[in-house]
Amino acid sequence: MAAGAAVGAWVLVLSLWGTVVGGQNVTARIGKPLVLNCKGAPKKPPQQLEWKLNTGRTEAWKVLSPQGGPWDSVARVLPNGSLLLPAIGIQDEGTFRCRAMSRNGKETKSNYQVRVYQTPRKPEIVDPASELMAGVSNKVGTCVSEGGYPAGTLSWRLDGKVLTPDGKGVSVKEETRRHPETGFFTLQSELRMTPARGGTPHLTFSCSFSPGIPRRRALHTAPIKLNVWAPEPVPLEVQLVVDPEGGAVAPGGTVTLTCEAPAQPPPQIHWIKDGTPLPLPPSPVLLLSEVGPQDQGTYSCVATHPSHGPQESRAISISIVETGEEGPAAGSVGGPGLGTLGLVLGILGGLGTATLLIGIIMWQRWRRRGEERKAPENREEEEEERAELNQSEEPEAAESSAGGQ
């Protein structure tokens, strides 16, 4: 019973919808009228037909029929059963279906998928370069397309061939904006290129706009021809700076090597230890943390620039010194100059200390001699004082004895 009911339901659906005829894609220009034919419908009333629309203007299917009247100024059914859109717009993109019944009772369905378009103005290259420099990245210009729908795409050509961005010698920066009221698009594409040294002295560029819908012609800008010149290469100075200065570090310490190579664009920096390239990604800084015996050796850096080629710095030695030992003097890679200066200063300091000790000993001896000279003089003074005291005591004793008699 259930299976029979399901088969009956499908038969009923097919009988209601009939044969699907005329399913196709339709492209219409914005602002122009569009007429969609309802296949199988009688050319004159009375007619049994129905249009159903699902577009940007509707939240659900909109139904139109000859008896129902027009849909504002958007669409209406013509006397022959066709559907007229007087001025199609972006919101009219969508699905249009018609179901019609012929005089002999045959039902036909038409199905249309409608897309709209607007041809933009001819693209142009604004702010073009006056010339290009070989070996460096140059801005060629900006291609602009305005007033198109759908957005479409911009592409560049070099000497008539499509130029594909590779992120290295050729790069493109694109921007798409949409007008808030009209819905039309503005496209911008900025081209940068690095001409090869020793290449052709003249390059011809152009830009093309490709519509976002099929069977529409591309639009092209007028070509621009630019001269390419190669400047004389300037030697690239590569300097290697080490911290701590001198390259001597205690076990477990940290050493920072910085490779300085001023150039535009910045060169790629690779590192070499004891004549062997280190398997590290390019970086201007090499950090050696928790330095151990395996980190000792001679280091240098290589700066690679498209205009100069590879340039290697002077070598710097990294060594480990135990706690309490004095490494090479600061400010020099090997430290021979300041090491000699430190030795001289040490000798002079020792001589100064010896001179001071000799002076102290001589002063102490002089002081003892002075005290020995003063000792006899002090004894003579003490005897004279005692003699004077004795003389003064004798008369006093005589007077006291006479008084007693």
Side-chain angles (χ1 to χ4, degrees):
M1 291 294 294
V7 172
W10 279 109
V11 171
L12 177 62
V13 169
L14 292 175
S15 64
L16 289 175
W17 282 101
T19 305
V20 176
V21 177
Q24 57 183 309
N25 296 324
V26 176
T27 302
R29 187 170 182 174
I30 294 175
K32 300 295 182 179
L34 175 64
V35 177
L36 299 176
N37 184 26
C38 184
K39 298 183 181 298
K43 300 301 180 183
K44 296 180 181 181
Q47 300 160 323
Q48 293 183 359
L49 61 88
E50 179 184 75
W51 280 95
K52 296 179 69 176
L53 291 68
N54 186 7
T55 68
R57 299 181 188 271
T58 62
E59 296 182 358
W61 288 95
K62 176 71 175 178
V63 179
L64 296 177
S65 65
Q67 298 79 18
W71 178 23
D72 299 330
S73 61
V74 178
R76 72 173 186 269
V77 179
L78 298 177
N80 64 355
S82 298
L83 183 68
L84 171 65
L85 288 82
I88 194 167
I90 295 176
Q91 291 182 321
D92 296 316
E93 286 188 316
T95 303
F96 294 75
R97 294 175 180 174
C98 180
R99 186 174 58 182
M101 186 73 69
S102 65
R103 302 290 186 193
N104 56 10
K106 182 181 179 181
E107 190 176 72
T108 305
K109 176 186 174 184
S110 303
N111 187 15
Y112 299 94
Q113 202 66 34
V114 176
R115 296 185 65 186
V116 300
Y117 73 92
Q118 179 64 38
T119 303
R121 294 192 292 270
K122 185 178 180 180
E124 60 177 340
I125 299 177
V126 299
D127 192 23
S130 58
E131 60 184 3
L132 302 178
M133 181 186 301
V136 299
S137 178
N138 302 261
K139 178 183 174 182
V140 176
T142 302
C143 183
V144 180
S145 172
E146 295 180 327
Y149 184 89
T153 57
L154 293 174
S155 60
W156 286 88
R157 294 177 180 269
L158 172 60
D159 295 333
K161 298 180 180 179
V162 176
L163 198 57
T164 303
D166 57 9
K168 298 178 181 178
V170 179
S171 63
V172 174
K173 180 181 179 182
E174 297 180 335
E175 181 182 354
T176 301
R177 299 192 305 270
R178 190 172 186 181
H179 196 281
E181 297 178 1
T182 65
F184 296 157
F185 289 93
T186 296
L187 307 181
Q188 291 187 354
S189 176
E190 180 185 289
L191 174 64
R192 298 190 68 89
M193 183 178 178
T194 304
R197 287 182 174 270
T200 176
H202 308 288
L203 297 175
T204 301
F205 297 89
S206 62
C207 178
S208 301
F209 170 81
S210 300
I213 54 177
R215 297 187 297 275
R216 304 302 304 176
R217 292 186 305 172
L219 302 176
H220 308 283
T221 65
I224 59 172
K225 187 174 183 180
L226 302 178
N227 296 328
V228 180
W229 66 282
E232 291 296 329
V234 178
L236 181 63
E237 296 184 2
V238 183
Q239 295 184 352
L240 184 55
V241 180
V242 61
D243 182 26
E245 294 185 53
V249 62
T254 299
V255 175
T256 302
L257 297 169
T258 304
C259 190
E260 299 178 351
Q264 290 298 329
Q268 285 194 336
I269 306 297
H270 298 274
W271 294 91
I272 296 177
K273 179 188 176 185
D274 298 331
T276 302
L278 294 176
L280 300 173
S283 174
V285 177
L286 178 61
L287 181 65
L288 304 177
S289 58
E290 299 182 359
V291 173
Q294 71 280 1
D295 297 312
Q296 295 187 110
T298 302
Y299 291 80
S300 63
C301 64
V302 177
T304 303
H305 191 273
S307 300
H308 306 277
Q311 300 286 334
E312 186 174 356
S313 72
R314 66 190 178 105
I316 285 183
S317 296
I318 302 300
S319 59
I320 297 177
V321 293
E322 298 296 334
T323 305
E325 296 183 4
E326 293 186 3
S332 173
V333 176
L338 288 185
T340 304
L341 178 60
L343 179 61
V344 172
L345 292 177
I347 295 173
L348 293 177
L351 293 176
T353 303
T355 302
L356 179 61
L357 291 175
I358 293 172
I360 293 174
I361 294 172
M362 296 297 294
W363 178 77
Q364 290 179 347
R365 290 180 177 177
W366 176 81
R367 182 178 179 184
R368 291 194 191 99
R369 291 176 181 176
E371 291 177 352
E372 290 175 356
R373 293 191 188 99
K374 290 181 178 180
E377 296 178 356
N378 293 338
R379 285 195 293 270
E380 293 177 356
E381 291 177 357
E382 290 177 358
E383 291 177 357
E384 292 178 356
E385 290 178 357
R386 290 194 188 101
E388 292 177 356
L389 288 175
N390 293 333
Q391 291 177 0
S392 60
E393 288 177 357
E394 289 177 357
E396 290 178 0
E399 291 177 359
S400 61
S401 62
Q405 290 176 2

